Amino acid sequence: ALLMSRVRPKYLGLGIAGLLAVLLTIKAVPQLGYWRDMEALTAHQLKFQPTSPIFLNNRAADRMRRGVVDPALADARRSIELQPDNHAAWMNILICLIRIERFDDAAELGKQMVEKFPDSDNSLETLTKMLQYRRQFSEAANYAKRLHEMRPSSRDDKLRYARLLILSGKTAEGLAIFAADQGKEKLTGLAAEEIEAQVFEQAGELKEALERYRVLANRHGQRAKLSQSRMAWIQATSFDETLRQPARAFELARRTLDSFASTSVAVPAYAYDVLAAAEANMGDFEQARKHIADAIIAAKRESNGKLLAETINRKKLYDEGKPFRTSPPALTGVPTYAVR
């Protein structure tokens, strides 16, 4: 009592308030952990509002996050029945259909969505990527054009549209976009033809790309060093076993590398990288490790961050006695779920 009488009322009040805050924090921490569990949270929400389209879609998103696709699809569809303009629920249905590889249904739904939600770049981009993955290049180009018009400042959108134009046979239009991107009036000759071949390679159309590179190498000889290297790369690393011929790739890569010896130009990183890949696929990991180290040094000299990261990762493979192989085209960059 004597002690309390000596404590000023102001400080006594602060002390009690502080104690209450601590007690409330101790009580709140378990609750915070509980509500971080989205499954528990959405179950609680729907217990009190079972027909809430937002809460139904939140549960759909959580189920998609956990890989429970069929119930997620049912939740998202119910959400749309209750709120037809719930764009997030439409997106979740589209993503679910893509995940279970019902691509025809996904394409039909995606086309409905871009008309129903004309300002949604998410649905337009997802549809474009899916059509490209399905090799429906002409249709994909049409939607890529709309996406480019919607986001004119996006270089990725612009070049995606250019690539799809080339893949769908509208080569001149596609090359015009590439030329403008490079600050040139026009691309012709070897430069234009190598871009075309690279577009097919990047799309996973390796047989077509390989044939184009072969024609360019035969026609232009040592001027087509890049084409020679890309030929060797496909033959060394292709995911398609029918195209993989590492011994031929090695001879071509070695010849390309040697051709730089007669010039004042430093050997580029890609030339070392291709040679190392061919050697690794032949089982000669000692030489592969030597040449991938040269590729890393050259990539640093060229300030080529992307290739530097790739060559460092390939070095790890070669150190483990594993070759590098490319992967088949994959549908990437699609959202995993949508919430509102």
Side-chain angles (χ1 to χ4, degrees):
L2 180 61
L3 178 63
M4 292 297 291
S5 67
R6 292 179 179 176
V7 177
R8 295 182 182 179
K10 182 174 94 169
Y11 296 113
L12 179 61
L14 288 173
I16 294 171
L19 179 61
L20 286 173
V22 169
L23 291 173
L24 287 171
T25 301
I26 292 171
K27 181 176 177 60
V29 166
Q31 288 292 317
L32 183 62
Y34 179 77
W35 292 124
R36 279 178 180 160
D37 182 345
M38 280 298 295
E39 184 178 9
L41 176 59
T42 54
H44 178 78
Q45 291 171 332
L46 288 167
K47 180 179 179 180
F48 293 98
Q49 297 186 55
T51 58
S52 165
I54 293 176
F55 294 160
L56 280 165
N57 185 61
N58 287 347
R59 185 169 69 179
D62 176 62
R63 286 173 163 173
M64 291 168 69
R65 182 181 58 81
R66 294 184 287 112
V68 189
V69 178
D70 287 340
L73 192 56
D75 278 343
R77 282 176 168 158
R78 178 61 178 149
S79 178
I80 285 179
E81 289 174 5
L82 295 166
Q83 186 181 12
D85 64 345
N86 187 342
H87 177 262
W90 281 80
M91 276 299 298
N92 281 331
I93 294 175
L94 178 61
I95 298 163
C96 281
L97 292 174
I98 291 172
R99 281 199 192 177
I100 58 180
E101 299 186 353
R102 288 173 52 183
F103 293 114
D104 291 341
D105 292 337
E108 182 178 348
L109 180 71
K111 291 170 187 177
Q112 292 177 36
M113 289 177 64
V114 298
E115 301 307 323
K116 185 175 180 65
F117 305 101
D119 297 326
S120 168
D121 55 349
N122 281 345
S123 49
L124 189 54
E125 183 174 5
T126 301
L127 176 61
T128 302
K129 289 179 176 179
M130 187 193 65
L131 291 172
Q132 179 175 351
Y133 172 71
R134 298 289 289 166
R135 288 171 165 69
Q136 295 171 258
F137 298 130
S138 294
E139 264 196 300
N142 293 334
Y143 291 109
K145 180 181 181 182
R146 291 174 60 172
L147 187 62
H148 173 45
E149 291 169 347
M150 184 182 294
R151 302 189 304 207
S153 62
S154 169
R155 184 170 183 262
D156 287 344
D157 291 341
K158 175 177 65 177
L159 295 183
R160 180 189 297 116
Y161 176 42
R163 286 191 291 269
L164 284 166
L165 284 170
I166 291 172
L167 290 166
S168 59
K170 297 180 179 179
T171 305
E173 294 177 48
L175 287 174
I177 295 174
F178 275 109
D181 182 67
Q182 296 177 19
K184 299 177 180 177
E185 185 176 338
K186 191 176 183 180
L187 287 170
T188 58
L190 178 60
E193 292 172 308
E194 284 189 330
I195 285 177
E196 292 174 46
Q198 289 174 49
V199 166
F200 281 93
E201 182 185 355
Q202 291 165 5
E205 302 289 329
L206 298 187
K207 289 183 180 178
E208 176 69 22
L210 189 60
E211 182 55 33
R212 286 172 179 261
Y213 287 134
R214 184 178 288 116
V215 168
L216 293 177
N218 290 337
R219 182 186 303 159
H220 298 281
Q222 290 304 312
R223 288 182 57 229
K225 288 184 175 67
L226 179 61
S227 291
Q228 292 173 354
S229 283
R230 297 318 303 169
M231 277 179 64
W233 179 258
I234 293 172
Q235 291 177 328
T237 67
S238 174
F239 62 83
D240 184 346
E241 290 186 8
T242 65
L243 300 180
R244 201 163 57 242
Q245 297 176 303
R248 287 190 180 182
F250 171 78
E251 293 299 329
L252 187 55
R254 182 79 259 180
R255 193 159 61 244
T256 303
L257 191 69
D258 291 343
S259 69
F260 285 97
S262 59
T263 70
S264 58
V265 178
V267 177
Y270 74 77
Y272 286 122
D273 187 24
V274 173
L275 182 59
E279 289 164 338
N281 275 277
M282 292 172 64
D284 188 351
F285 291 100
E286 182 179 351
Q287 287 298 307
R289 285 189 285 269
K290 175 183 179 297
H291 287 120
I292 201 65
D294 291 334
I296 290 170
I297 293 170
K300 290 178 180 177
R301 184 186 67 239
E302 297 164 6
S303 300
N304 189 335
K306 181 175 182 293
L307 185 55
L308 176 60
E310 292 172 352
T311 50
I312 289 172
N313 286 333
R314 283 194 268 277
K315 182 180 183 300
K316 293 175 184 177
L317 283 177
Y318 305 158
D319 287 342
E320 296 171 1
K322 299 175 183 177
F324 173 79
R325 304 272 170 80
T326 57
S327 301
L331 182 54
T332 59
V334 173
T336 51
Y337 55 86
V339 294
R340 193 183 86 179

